[in-house]
Amino acid sequence: MSQYFHGARNFSIGTSTFNTVTTNQYQSPKGGFERLQEYVAHGAFHDSGERFDPPKCHENTRVAIIKRIMDWISGLDEDTREALIMWLYGAAGAGKSAIAQTIAEILDDQNFVLASFFFWRNDPQRGTAKLLVTTLAYQLAVKLPPVFRERLGLVFENDHLITTRSLEAQFKALVREPLLELVHSGFSTTNHIVVIIDGLDECDDPNVQARIIDISFRLLSNRDIPLKIFIASRPEIDISSSFDRKPFSTLARIALDHDYQSDRDIQHFLKDNFKEIKTQHPLQSYI
């Protein structure tokens, strides 16, 4: 006679007894923050292993541009102090990504709260904006006080389909509202939180490129969250048109043009590398 005990670990058939372990007995449901991690393009981080060794400015080059950007972030430049968004633009190969990477590393070294997304059209995760908001939100969550992370977790627990919402809805639910709650909890900082979006023109949809700019301005329109956004891109028509429609006082622009001559930087780079060859080459005694 066979006997089976429902819900128990042991059951017997005839004279034999068996132990069973139900797998769902030990599986706990994923929390909201764990679900968020499934929608992160980690290759878009400024310090991602996938991007090693990323382009960045050679030491003692692009000094004037880097200073101007850092002065804007720190509020030291009277001309750009009111601007919460800065746009760095120039032609392909002008060094935009190298500058963005260098700024990110400086901010990281100075313990700024930083989130970044480096677009790249040849990458299925970085060539689209589908993971943009969740990737930025994750980076903020690991650097800000727990209130921010807890709010993100609640969003994912209450709306399992948040990642299917519009970019506008995602920015509101995953960035703006958690930051507002953080501010209302008593959080304060002497430095702005900084978001860096590099290579916006490499996003696969020109309409989405323009929407990201529009959303960024709406995100900061009330000036009630301590956030600045740095965007680097080519001056493509959809991007330029979107920026041209924005109030002059809210936007700072840097064009990588003749105002920032790179001849001296190139000379400095070549001298440093020739010096390195002369001192480290196996045949240096013959050089």
Side-chain angles (χ1 to χ4, degrees), residues 23-287:
T23 56
N24 59 2
Q25 187 174 354
Y26 293 98
Q27 290 179 347
S28 58
K30 288 185 178 180
F33 189 69
E34 289 177 296
R35 280 201 291 271
L36 167 64
Q37 295 176 55
E38 298 174 359
Y39 298 94
V40 173
H42 48 81
F45 300 170
H46 84 275
D47 56 356
S48 169
E50 288 186 14
R51 295 182 59 246
F52 185 86
D53 180 20
K56 54 187 174 183
C57 300
H58 186 72
E59 188 177 1
N60 295 321
T61 63
R62 297 296 199 183
V63 175
I65 294 178
I66 292 171
K67 183 180 186 304
R68 184 176 171 189
I69 297 170
M70 290 302 301
D71 284 350
W72 164 70
I73 291 172
S74 302
L76 300 177
D77 188 341
E78 292 185 4
D79 295 333
T80 61
R81 186 171 293 163
E82 296 301 314
L84 296 178
I85 294 176
M86 176 174 277
W87 179 34
L88 174 72
Y89 60 97
K96 302 179 297 297
S97 292
I99 293 170
Q101 178 70 30
T102 300
I103 293 296
E105 293 184 7
I106 291 173
L107 293 175
D108 201 24
D109 288 342
Q110 295 183 5
N111 296 317
F112 276 74
V113 176
L114 166 71
S116 60
F117 196 102
F118 283 73
F119 279 101
W120 188 41
R121 62 170 50 92
N122 294 324
D123 187 298
Q125 289 191 328
R126 294 166 53 202
T128 173
K130 291 179 179 179
L131 302 180
L132 170 64
V133 185
T134 46
T135 300
L136 295 175
Y138 170 80
Q139 293 173 83
L140 294 176
V142 299
K143 296 173 182 177
L144 287 169
V147 172
F148 187 93
R149 180 186 296 203
E150 291 165 3
R151 176 60 183 261
L152 281 185
L154 285 175
V155 172
F156 270 81
E157 289 173 8
N158 294 333
D159 184 0
H160 291 183
L161 298 180
I162 183 62
T163 56
T164 68
R165 309 297 182 199
S166 66
L167 284 174
E168 290 84 353
Q170 289 186 51
F171 264 109
K172 179 183 178 183
L174 300 177
V175 177
R176 176 169 170 75
E177 291 181 348
L179 281 176
L180 273 176
E181 185 164 329
L182 183 64
V183 170
H184 294 158
S185 72
F187 172 80
S188 63
T189 176
T190 55
N191 296 317
H192 274 79
I193 298 164
V194 180
V195 164
I196 293 177
I197 299 175
D198 177 67
L200 180 59
D201 56 283
E202 303 234 355
C203 178
D204 60 357
D205 188 338
N207 292 323
V208 173
Q209 296 169 12
R211 278 177 60 203
I212 290 171
I213 296 167
D214 294 340
I215 294 169
S216 297
F217 278 89
R218 286 201 293 272
L219 184 70
L220 303 176
S221 61
N222 292 334
R223 294 182 175 268
D224 51 2
I225 52 177
L227 177 65
K228 289 187 174 182
I229 300 176
F230 176 82
I231 299 174
S233 75
R234 300 181 194 179
E236 305 291 6
I237 186 166
D238 293 279
I239 294 175
S240 297
S241 297
S242 182
F243 276 120
D244 288 343
R245 294 192 297 268
K246 302 301 180 289
F248 180 79
S249 62
T250 62
L251 172 65
R253 301 174 183 239
I254 297 181
L256 290 178
D257 54 19
H258 297 297
D259 290 338
Y260 292 98
Q261 293 289 345
S262 58
D263 293 354
R264 184 175 298 177
D265 289 342
I266 294 171
Q267 184 181 48
H268 184 80
F269 173 80
L270 290 173
K271 282 184 175 180
D272 280 357
N273 279 271
F274 282 135
K275 182 178 179 181
E276 182 178 339
I277 292 171
K278 186 176 181 180
T279 57
Q280 297 184 13
H281 196 280
L283 301 177
Q284 58 179 285
S285 59
Y286 297 97
I287 298 176

